[in-house]
Amino acid sequence: MNEAKIAIRNYCLRYSDGVQALKNVDLDIHPNAINVLFGPAGGGKSSLLRSINRLIDMADAEETSGEILFNGKNILDKETDVSWLRRKIGMVFSRPIPLPKSIFENVAFGLEVAGEKDKDAIRATVERALRQAYLWEEVYDRLDDPGNSLSGGQQQRLCLARILAFEPQVIMLDEPTSALDPVITARIESLLQEIKKDITIIIAPHNMSQSARIADYASFFLQGELVEFGEGSKLFVNPQDQRTQDYVEGRFG
């Protein structure tokens, strides 16, 4: 088995309102695979995603403990370059939020902020990222149009292209297809299967069927606890914990 891309060790997170969002989580995120986090709302999935690239720095996190090791280094250390971390571990949210700029500038903006000045290199990277996100053929002749002029599914892929432009090692997605129709959902799922060859995927799907459909590895979260982890092909068919089985079979959640 491949060494973990991200190793979460005894991780706890408590918010300022006293809510213990995560409790002693131990989890390996496997490289070049789709790692699914699933469970009912409030289970801790989103909190874990936001912890992995330090978005909790912007939230009301009161206390964290344990370790989150990315390529062997604890990203919770104060010395961590958070801007670098968020380029290497990108995040896609359920609701796409294009920048108030053109389609081209939506993808190029982050590169320019990061210091890239070579216009030809930027153009080449924008095209590569849009192709990776299966969007280039739909927008190549209108790159100057506003990003928010695209459909919801196109906007979601545009936001993904913006992250892909940084050549991330990990992409995290929090309910990325919850507002999309089945055709676009299938396209994005296909995209994830394609890019996992080069990029580690962590996703919290919005429903059970998607979790079972795409998971190489799956983790069931309940009330801040990691209840069960395993290969997706096994966990959804034959869960070992009764709580997992109850959730998979629709008896709660």
Side-chain angles (χ1 to χ4, degrees), residues 9 19 33 37 39 50 73 119 129 185 208 212 221 224 243:
R9 296 291 177 260
V19 172
L37 314 180
R50 284 159 173 76
K73 296 183 179 179
K119 298 298 183 185
T185 294
M208 192 68 220
F221 283 82
R243 293 168 293 177

Side-chain angles (χ1 to χ4, degrees), residues 162-227:
R162 194 164 67 208
I163 292 170
L164 288 167
F166 284 118
E167 299 185 347
Q169 297 180 28
V170 179
I171 291 179
M172 304 190 297
L173 306 100
D174 194 359
E175 300 188 352
T177 61
S178 60
L180 305 181
D181 65 49
V183 173
I184 300 301
T185 294
R187 189 172 297 177
I188 288 178
E189 288 179 7
S190 176
L191 164 62
L192 297 180
Q193 295 290 351
E194 180 66 27
I195 65 175
K196 77 178 184 182
K197 299 171 186 175
D198 304 305
I199 299 169
T200 299
I201 307 294
I202 312 172
I203 180 171
H206 69 283
N207 62 40
M208 192 68 220
S209 59
Q210 185 175 59
S211 297
R213 199 163 53 238
I214 66 174
D216 294 314
Y217 298 94
S219 306
F220 176 54
F221 283 82
L222 181 65
Q223 296 178 335
E225 295 183 22
L226 172 58
V227 173

Side-chain angles (χ1 to χ4, degrees), residues 49-69:
L49 292 177
R50 284 159 173 76
S51 296
I52 290 172
N53 73 349
R54 292 277 296 272
L55 283 174
I56 54 164
D57 292 7
M58 304 175 184
D60 54 351
E62 177 76 13
E63 182 181 5
T64 61
S65 61
E67 294 183 319
I68 299 178
L69 304 170

